[in-house]
């Protein structure tokens, strides 16, 4: 079951070989998210780029900045979102001769609220780690939720003082990395028995191991008084930042997080949720760049070689077993980090939200919607996923309360809209599988003929003149 | 002999083990484990056999299988609840059950054929992963639709719909009289009924595979689809028939689950049944009919044995049956990567 994330493309045919064979020399230059296995050098004219021919000192830096325009834009949108949301949702009712339109309520109904945006971050990181192994080596990891669960349970158990040797006051950042390392070790252990298999059998054995762990955790009274509900974080509030330096750390959590009032005298108040959002976002960003770095290293090129043609990679002389093992370990590590962030922010972790098969399925869905084998795609997929969740639930200003205000109570709203996100998500997912197999980001890349960050500068240049 | 602190002394452990063996080898215990195991195995087989047929012929790992079983359980429940007035005797109930099972199976077979032609057919030329994704999406949609309909009708989607489970004849919930009098064990008569059903279904499927033209196509198609097509067989139609049949069998399994004391109709069946069906199919070897029978027996007996262990308090871990079932899957794959009767290189890269 060789999984190629994209339907065969004309690019490959035109090159005549699906693989770049320069052993990843180009990884020396900082090149943002290109995953195209053909690694085609872009041939776009760089008109208006005076520095490309001159060799002055800031040449590579400017090049670097140009290459990261797309990243910068995405990060900026994410960073500014809280302000956009609070200003849009705070708009007043407007009296338009004909009728009053309540813009604030409208935006509140249709824009994802902060808790959902934070959920985008951990789900996005989890899905990226899933894509890291499944999209780049072609091995479907159906037990990925186990790593997420290990990360989540590790930080809670340490914070509750249930782990010998480690004091309950261990900083969150340290326990988070520990959880990641435990997940790394678990991935190696699972990989040891699983990587003898391929295709469906690999998917099934990882699923089996994850379900065994799930059933054990769910019934083991060591982890919590009520293991079916999962443990609750009873220690001090988790802090993200430099350990032991209070001025460089912020607490995360909806209720107990750090709040800043009147920042820099600008009259802006930052709520605990918003501070947590930036802190978690920073970790997710670091993890994304780490994963991207691995993908673009020679190591990552070998992962792609395994996906495209494992026999050939072996014949060239790579020890594919160890490459797969280490890739699986990294993937587990980042999934563990995602789980730790989730548990740190939520303050509890139920086995059904961490270790269960359906949690892996969520990652799978957002990976497909975002584009498998694109690394950044799953993040956009999870934005879509959580957005839909937010609109269709009445937890924080969704569609249902909005419509109730508009047309009054009705059985249709209660049964077809309120809390029905999984139904529409399933429909969208099936449509994506049938008609957009490369996902959102994959389709965009196919359309513009390369990765977004490679193509964006020249597009921008065109508009600058 | 030095005693290691924290460990049971060897003689003590030995005595405990003998005691345990003594309890296990009582005829009453053995009868209970075997009858219950056979009943469970029969239901697992009915559910899993459709999955293995579909995979064997088409190479599609159908992730909507659990959802089809769940819909079967609900449909069966609705028909039973509507058809039964409270006063029906056990014979009438069993007759009705058979009729309902036939109706549900027929309806779901048609539904499965429809799903295959409209949704699955366009993506046969893609990698198997896309078929997994598509069927999984279909399963999610069906689960949510069932949830909406159940909520709309005022039925709790979770845990189980007790009205449907309550249509079981009283005699089935009671222990089997003869066994209870002679051995003093309580085994629900339902398990014997389920075992009989399983034998019937297995026989019917086997006859279908070996004595009918379509069975021939399926067996040949599992070996070499291109050759079958070259010989002029309309493989696409065979795919539709097999997918429909697999769906119908899943729904039939769901109808049996409706009366099962540990399952019962609920939307949670989607994932739970799917996972169990996968365990059975993968242990037996993907695409192998014989393997599915053997694996269902192994899983069913392991399930009833661990349930007995938990009930008698020998093991105090409540999740033991589930852990054992999934461990069986892992161990099988480690020892025999293709399953017990699996064909080399089926379902691999």
């Amino acid at each position: 079951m060789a999984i190629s994330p994209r339907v065969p493309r004309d690019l490959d045919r035109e090159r005549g070989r699906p693989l770049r064979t320069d052993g990843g020399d180009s990884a020396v230059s900082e090149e943002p998210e290109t995953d195209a296995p053909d690694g085609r050098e872009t041939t776009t004219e760089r008109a208006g780029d005076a520095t490309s021919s001159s060799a002055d000192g800031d040449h590579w830096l400017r090049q670097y900045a140009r290459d990261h325009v797309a990243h910068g834009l995405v990060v900026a949108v994410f960073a500014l979102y809280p302000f956009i949301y609070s200003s849009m949702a705070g708009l007043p009712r407007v009296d338009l001769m004909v009728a009053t339109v309540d813009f604030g309520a409208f935006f509140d109904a249709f824009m994802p609220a902060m808790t959902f945006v934070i959920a985008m971050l951990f789900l996005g990181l989890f899905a990226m780690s899933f894509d890291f192994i499944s999209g780049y080596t072609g091995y479907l990891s159906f037990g990925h939720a186990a790593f997420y669960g290990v990360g989540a349970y590790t930080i809670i158990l340490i914070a509750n003082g249930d782990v010998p040797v480690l004091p309950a006051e261990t900083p969150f950042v340290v326990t988070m990395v520990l959880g990641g390392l435990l997940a790394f070790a678990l991935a190696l252990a699972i990989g040891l028995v699983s990587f003898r298999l391929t295709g469906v059998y690999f998917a099934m054995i990882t699923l089996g191991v994850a379900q065994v762990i799930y059933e054990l955790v769910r019934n083991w009274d060591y982890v919590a008084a009520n293991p079916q509900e999962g443990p609750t974080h009873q220690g001090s509030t988790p802090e993200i930042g430099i350990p032991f330096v209070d001025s460089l750390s912020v607490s995360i959590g909806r209720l107990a997080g750090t709040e800043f009032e009147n920042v820099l005298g600008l009259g802006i108040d930052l709520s605990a949720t918003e501070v947590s959002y930036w802190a978690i976002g920073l970790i997710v960003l670091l993890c994304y760049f780490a994963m991207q770095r691995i993908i673009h290293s020679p190591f990552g090129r070998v992962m792609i070689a395994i996906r495209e043609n494992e026999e050939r990679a072996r014949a060239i002389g790579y020890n594919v077993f160890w490459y797969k093992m280490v890739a699986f370990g990294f993937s587990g590590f980042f999934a563990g980090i995602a789980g730790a962030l989730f548990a740190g922010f939520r303050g509890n972790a139920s086995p059904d939200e961490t270790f269960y098969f359906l949690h892996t399925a969520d990652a799978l869905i957002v990976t497909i919607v975002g584009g498998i084998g694109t690394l950044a795609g799953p993040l956009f997929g999870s934005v879509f996923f959580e957005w839909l969740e937010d609109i269709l639930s009445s937890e924080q200003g969704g569609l249902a309360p909005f419509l109730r205000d508009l047309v009054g109570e009705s059985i249709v709203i209660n049964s077809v809209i309120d809390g029905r996100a999984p139904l529409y998500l399933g429909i969208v997912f099936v449509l994506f599988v049938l008609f957009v197999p490369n996902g959102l980001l994959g389709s965009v890349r196919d359309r513009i003929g390369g990765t977004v960050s490679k193509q964006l500068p020249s597009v921008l240049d065109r508009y600058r003149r | 002999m030095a005693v290691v602190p924290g460990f049971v002394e060897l003689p003590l452990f030995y005595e405990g083990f003998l005691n345990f063996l003594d309890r296990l080898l009582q005829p009453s215990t053995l009868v209970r484990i075997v009858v219950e195991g056979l009943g469970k195995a029969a239901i697992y087989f009915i559910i899993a056999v459709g999955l293995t047929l579909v995979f064997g012929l088409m190479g599609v790992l159908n992730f909507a299988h659990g959802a089809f079983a769940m819909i079967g359980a609900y449909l069966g429940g609705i028909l039973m609840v509507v058809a039964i007035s409270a006063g029906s005797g056990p014979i009438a109930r069993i007759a009705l059950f058979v009729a309902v099972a036939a109706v549900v199976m027929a309806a779901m077979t048609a539904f499965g054929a429809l799903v295959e032609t409209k949704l699955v057919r366009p993506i046969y030329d893609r990698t198997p992963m896309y078929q997994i994704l598509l069927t999984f999406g279909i399963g999610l949609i069906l689960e949510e639709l069932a949830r909406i309909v159940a909520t709309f009708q005022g039925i709790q989607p979770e845990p189980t719909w007790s009205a449907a489970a309550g249509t079981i004849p009283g005699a089935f919930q009671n222990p089997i009289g003869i066994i209870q009098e002679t051995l003093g064990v309580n085994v629900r008569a339902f398990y014997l009924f389920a075992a009989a059903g399983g034998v019937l279904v297995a026989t019917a499927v086997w006859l279908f595979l070996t004595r009918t033209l379509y069975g021939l196509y399926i067996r040949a198609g599992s070996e070499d689809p291109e050759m079958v097509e070259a010989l002029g067989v309309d493989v696409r139609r065979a795919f539709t028939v097999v997918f429909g049949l697999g769906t119908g069998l899943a729904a039939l399994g769901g109808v049996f689950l409706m009366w099962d004391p540990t399952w019962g109709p609920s939307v949670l069946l989607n994932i739970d049944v799917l996972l169990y069906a996968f365990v059975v199919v993968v242990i037996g070897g993907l695409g192998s009919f014989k393997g599915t029978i053997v694996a269902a027996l192994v899983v069913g007996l392991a399930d009833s044995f661990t349930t007995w262990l938990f009930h008698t308090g020998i093991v105090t871990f409540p999740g033991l049956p589930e852990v054992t079932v999934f461990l069986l899957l892992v161990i099988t794959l480690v020892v025999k990567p293709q399953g017990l009767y699996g064909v080399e290189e089926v379902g691999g890269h």
Side-chain angles (χ1 to χ4, degrees):
Chain A
M1 193 170 81
I3 300 162
S4 190
R6 46 200 70 248
V7 173
R9 301 180 323 187
D10 44 358
L11 299 180
D12 298 350
R13 239 173 287 131
E14 164 195 325
R15 293 264 303 180
R17 57 168 194 265
L19 255 189
R20 173 200 277 169
T21 46
D22 62 5
D25 290 345
S26 57
V28 180
S29 68
E30 188 77 38
E31 54 169 36
E33 42 174 328
T34 166
D35 74 298
D38 48 44
R40 198 172 59 141
E41 291 307 318
T42 55
T43 53
T44 40
E45 287 298 314
R46 291 235 174 92
D49 183 9
T51 57
S52 65
S53 52
S54 65
D56 50 359
D58 65 354
H59 162 74
W60 69 267
L61 205 69
R62 288 188 70 166
Q63 185 59 44
Y64 185 82
R66 279 171 55 91
D67 279 348
H68 282 278
V69 168
H71 288 147
L73 286 175
V74 170
V75 171
V77 168
F78 268 93
L80 294 175
Y81 182 77
F83 300 120
I84 301 170
Y85 175 73
S86 53
S87 58
M88 298 278 253
L91 287 174
R93 296 171 76 97
V94 181
D95 202 346
L96 302 168
M97 306 301 178
V98 201
T100 53
V101 180
D102 193 347
F103 282 108
F106 177 80
F107 285 119
D108 194 24
F110 286 99
M111 287 174 73
M114 286 317 297
T115 43
F116 286 95
V117 186
I118 294 179
M120 284 172 195
L121 294 176
F122 11 93
L123 180 62
L125 180 57
F126 179 51
M128 281 193 263
S129 75
F130 175 82
D131 192 26
F132 184 86
I133 186 77
S134 302
Y136 284 92
T137 64
Y139 279 80
L140 271 185
S141 162
F142 271 7
H144 222 65
F147 308 132
Y148 189 85
V150 164
Y153 272 57
T154 303
I155 68 139
I156 293 188
L157 291 181
I158 292 178
N160 291 353
D162 288 337
V163 179
V165 184
L166 289 166
E169 294 76 43
T170 315
F172 172 76
V173 180
V174 176
T175 58
M176 177 176 82
V177 174
L178 270 177
L181 290 175
L182 270 179
F184 185 96
L186 178 68
L188 290 189
I190 294 176
L192 207 57
V193 292
S194 305
F195 278 118
R196 298 161 55 231
L197 311 169
T198 53
V200 174
Y201 293 103
F202 177 83
M204 284 298 136
I205 195 168
T206 47
L207 173 62
V209 173
Q211 280 301 108
V212 168
I213 296 172
Y214 164 74
E215 293 290 351
L216 286 174
V217 165
R218 200 162 153 258
N219 295 297
W220 192 20
D221 45 16
Y222 157 73
V223 295
N226 181 358
Q228 307 252 352
E229 295 294 323
T232 308
H233 196 293
Q234 285 147 347
S236 54
T237 315
E239 291 194 343
I240 290 182
I242 314 281
F244 307 115
V245 185
D246 276 348
S247 56
L248 292 175
S249 309
V250 290
S251 303
I252 57 171
R254 259 181 93 168
L255 304 170
T258 312
E259 296 185 8
F260 292 108
E261 289 187 359
N262 199 357
V263 182
L264 305 174
L266 296 173
I268 303 171
D269 293 347
L270 301 181
S271 70
T273 314
E274 287 164 348
V275 173
S276 313
Y277 166 70
W278 282 307
I280 290 171
L282 183 70
I283 305 261
V284 171
L285 187 69
L286 288 174
C287 289
Y288 166 70
F289 277 119
M291 274 191 274
Q292 206 219 37
R293 206 52 264 140
I294 298 168
I295 295 286
H296 295 305
S297 68
F299 180 88
R301 296 285 133 190
V302 178
M303 282 165 60
I304 295 171
I306 289 170
R307 175 184 80 197
E308 298 296 327
N309 191 333
E310 192 171 335
E311 287 73 21
R312 185 187 286 185
R314 190 183 295 117
I316 291 170
Y318 289 113
N319 185 339
V320 287
F321 176 78
W322 283 107
Y323 274 93
K324 289 185 292 191
M325 285 281 277
V326 175
F328 198 40
F330 280 136
S331 173
F333 175 83
F334 291 115
I337 298 276
L341 291 173
F342 160 84
F345 177 71
R346 290 276 303 271
N348 62 8
S350 76
D352 288 333
E353 283 177 308
T354 50
F355 281 98
Y356 193 42
F357 165 65
L358 275 183
H359 193 65
T360 308
D362 285 348
L364 180 71
I365 290 172
V366 303
T367 302
I368 294 300
V369 169
I372 189 164
T374 58
L375 197 61
L379 181 65
F380 301 118
S382 68
V383 166
F384 177 84
F385 179 100
E386 291 293 339
W387 197 333
L388 204 64
E389 286 264 322
D390 173 51
I391 289 178
L392 293 168
S393 80
S394 36
E395 197 178 311
Q396 283 196 308
L399 186 60
F402 176 70
L403 285 178
R404 280 190 198 118
D405 286 347
L406 217 59
V407 297
E409 280 290 332
S410 87
I411 189 84
V412 174
I413 294 175
N414 290 342
S415 56
V416 183
I417 293 174
D418 198 357
R420 290 286 164 238
L423 172 67
Y424 299 102
L425 200 79
I427 292 172
V428 166
F429 176 63
V430 165
L431 292 176
F432 261 88
V433 172
L434 284 172
F435 302 111
V436 198
N438 293 345
L440 294 169
L441 190 57
S443 303
V444 168
R445 283 182 186 180
D446 287 353
R447 176 64 58 84
I448 63 177
T451 61
V452 178
S453 34
K454 276 263 187 267
Q455 300 296 331
L456 194 69
S458 51
V459 172
L460 290 178
D461 284 347
R462 214 171 299 152
Y463 285 106
R464 238 186 356 214
R465 276 176 295 141
Chain B
M1 192 187 68
V3 179
V4 185
F7 282 85
V8 185
E9 276 186 71
L10 204 59
L12 253 179
F13 173 76
Y14 187 64
E15 203 170 307
F17 184 69
L18 280 185
N19 194 359
F20 160 75
L21 268 188
D22 187 46
R23 285 176 73 176
L24 175 64
L25 295 176
Q26 297 286 335
S28 57
T29 310
L30 284 180
V31 164
R32 173 187 159 161
I33 290 177
V34 168
V35 171
E36 230 174 84
L38 287 179
K40 287 179 190 232
I43 295 179
Y44 294 156
F45 168 77
I46 296 172
I47 285 172
V49 70
L51 198 60
T52 210
L53 285 182
V54 168
F55 187 89
L57 178 64
M58 302 140 82
V60 172
L61 200 59
N62 178 13
F63 266 68
H65 206 77
F68 293 147
M70 171 201 68
I71 299 220
Y74 269 111
L75 278 182
I78 290 166
L79 291 173
M80 287 300 281
V81 169
V82 168
I84 277 183
S85 53
S88 306
I91 303 297
R93 285 184 183 217
I94 294 172
L96 266 178
F97 179 89
V98 173
V100 161
V103 169
V104 168
M105 187 169 168
M108 289 300 286
T109 301
F111 177 69
L114 187 75
V115 167
E116 196 275 341
T117 47
K118 295 284 174 256
L119 292 169
V120 190
R121 185 171 285 177
I123 62 164
Y124 280 134
D125 52 350
R126 289 201 217 154
T127 54
M129 187 185 80
Y130 282 102
Q131 291 140 25
I132 288 177
L133 296 172
L134 180 82
T135 48
F136 185 67
I138 294 170
L140 285 184
I141 294 173
L142 291 176
E143 180 184 341
E144 276 310 301
L145 285 176
R147 214 183 276 270
I148 290 176
V149 171
T151 319
F152 208 77
Q153 299 291 342
I155 301 166
Q156 278 287 46
E158 308 163 22
T160 54
W161 182 25
S162 49
T167 57
I168 187 169
F172 277 4
Q173 287 174 300
N174 298 340
I176 305 167
I178 300 170
I179 296 182
Q180 197 182 17
E181 281 157 29
T182 49
L183 299 171
V185 243
N186 298 342
V187 185
R188 282 170 189 254
F190 167 74
Y191 286 118
L192 273 183
F193 173 74
V199 170
L200 267 178
V201 171
T203 314
V205 172
W206 184 76
L207 286 175
F208 170 79
L209 284 175
T210 52
R211 303 293 158 90
T212 65
L213 195 56
Y214 263 106
L216 182 67
Y217 294 165
I218 292 169
R219 284 180 296 134
S222 310
E223 296 280 330
D224 190 346
E226 288 89 2
M227 194 61 178
V228 174
E229 203 156 16
L231 291 169
V233 174
D234 186 354
V235 175
R236 285 192 357 176
R237 181 180 293 177
F239 280 5
T240 310
V241 168
V242 169
F243 199 92
L245 190 73
T247 308
L249 284 167
L252 180 67
V255 177
F256 272 95
L257 284 181
M258 174 180 77
W259 278 0
D260 188 287
T262 48
W263 299 73
S266 97
V267 291
L268 300 177
L269 286 185
N270 177 14
I271 300 295
D272 292 351
V273 168
L274 181 72
L275 293 175
Y276 268 68
F278 277 150
V279 171
V280 171
V281 166
V282 173
I283 289 179
L286 281 164
S288 158
F289 177 72
K290 186 168 71 172
T292 308
I293 295 182
V294 174
L297 285 171
V298 169
V299 172
L301 287 169
D303 192 347
S304 72
F305 172 62
T306 46
T307 310
W308 171 80
L309 278 183
F310 177 66
H311 276 306
T312 49
I314 292 171
V315 176
T316 52
F317 184 74
L320 185 68
E322 291 89 353
V323 170
T324 311
V325 166
F326 290 113
L327 266 181
L328 276 175
L329 167 76
V330 173
I331 292 166
T332 308
L333 282 176
V334 170
V335 178
K336 285 204 70 164
Q338 310 295 340
L340 295 175
Y341 295 92
V343 188
E344 195 76 31
E345 286 312 306
V346 170
H349 268 308

